[in-house]
Amino acid sequence: RLQTLAGRRAGLNSPMGYDLVIYPEPETMTVKAINTLLFLVGLINFLPVLGVLSGGRLAQAYGIDLPGPDLEILLRHRALLFGIVGGFVFYALFVPTMQWPAMVMAGISKVGFLVFMLQVGDYNASLHRVMLVDIAGIVLLLAAVVLKLLASRA
């Protein structure tokens, strides 16, 4: 839906000499903002899926040595799970009824990692960067939640 306002801008000519300017309704802009935020959250969650391809990528991303196949298997599985979460967030962009479950799932993942980082402490610089990216993801998620709540009340 579009609302129209008369104004002196480039647009459609009206009979009274004013150009007709078409502005999207606020709810449309809110939906676009929510989708943009969720796209970014999905991207943050999905990118680690590249770790499925090799243990070397994981070791580099997390700044660790993989002492054996056991840890590599666990980390590659973790990368796969991130891909699933990120894929679900992307899916929710096209199926809005799935946005709340996707936001909850991504939020639990991100907050959980942050809690573990703070509980354990003594982490390397690479994990610190991962934590900062997750904090950014949490902020993006919170913004999407606020917009979604505001849109549901409108």
Side-chain angles (χ1 to χ4, degrees):
R1 297 179 319 185
L2 296 174
Q3 70 187 53
T4 58
L5 299 171
R8 292 199 177 272
R9 291 177 147 205
L12 305 171
N13 290 327
S14 73
M16 297 180 67
Y18 288 95
D19 288 337
L20 203 55
V21 181
I22 300 175
Y23 294 94
E25 285 193 25
E27 68 187 47
T28 305
M29 292 188 305
T30 302
V31 168
K32 286 181 182 181
I34 292 168
N35 285 342
T36 300
L37 292 166
L38 289 180
F39 176 80
L40 294 171
V41 169
L43 195 61
I44 290 170
N45 277 283
F46 193 78
L47 284 178
V49 80
L50 297 174
V52 168
L53 301 175
S54 79
R57 284 182 190 257
L58 291 167
Q60 182 181 7
Y62 296 122
I64 60 171
D65 292 322
L66 295 177
D70 298 332
L71 186 57
E72 180 178 341
I73 291 167
L74 290 171
L75 286 176
R76 288 174 83 176
H77 185 255
R78 181 179 190 275
L80 178 64
L81 293 174
F82 271 119
I84 291 170
V85 172
F88 186 55
V89 173
F90 286 145
Y91 171 73
L93 292 172
F94 302 100
V95 183
T97 57
M98 292 291 111
Q99 288 180 350
W100 282 115
M103 289 189 289
V104 168
M105 190 169 20
I108 289 170
S109 172
K110 300 231 158 294
V111 170
F113 182 72
L114 182 61
V115 167
F116 296 148
M117 291 285 291
L118 296 174
Q119 281 179 340
V120 175
D122 197 30
Y123 41 82
N124 66 30
S126 295
L127 283 178
H128 182 75
R129 278 192 300 275
V130 171
M131 182 179 73
L132 293 177
V133 170
D134 274 2
I135 290 171
I138 291 167
V139 170
L140 294 169
L141 267 174
L142 288 174
V145 165
V146 167
L147 289 175
K148 195 96 167 128
L149 287 171
L150 292 173
S152 70
R153 292 186 179 150

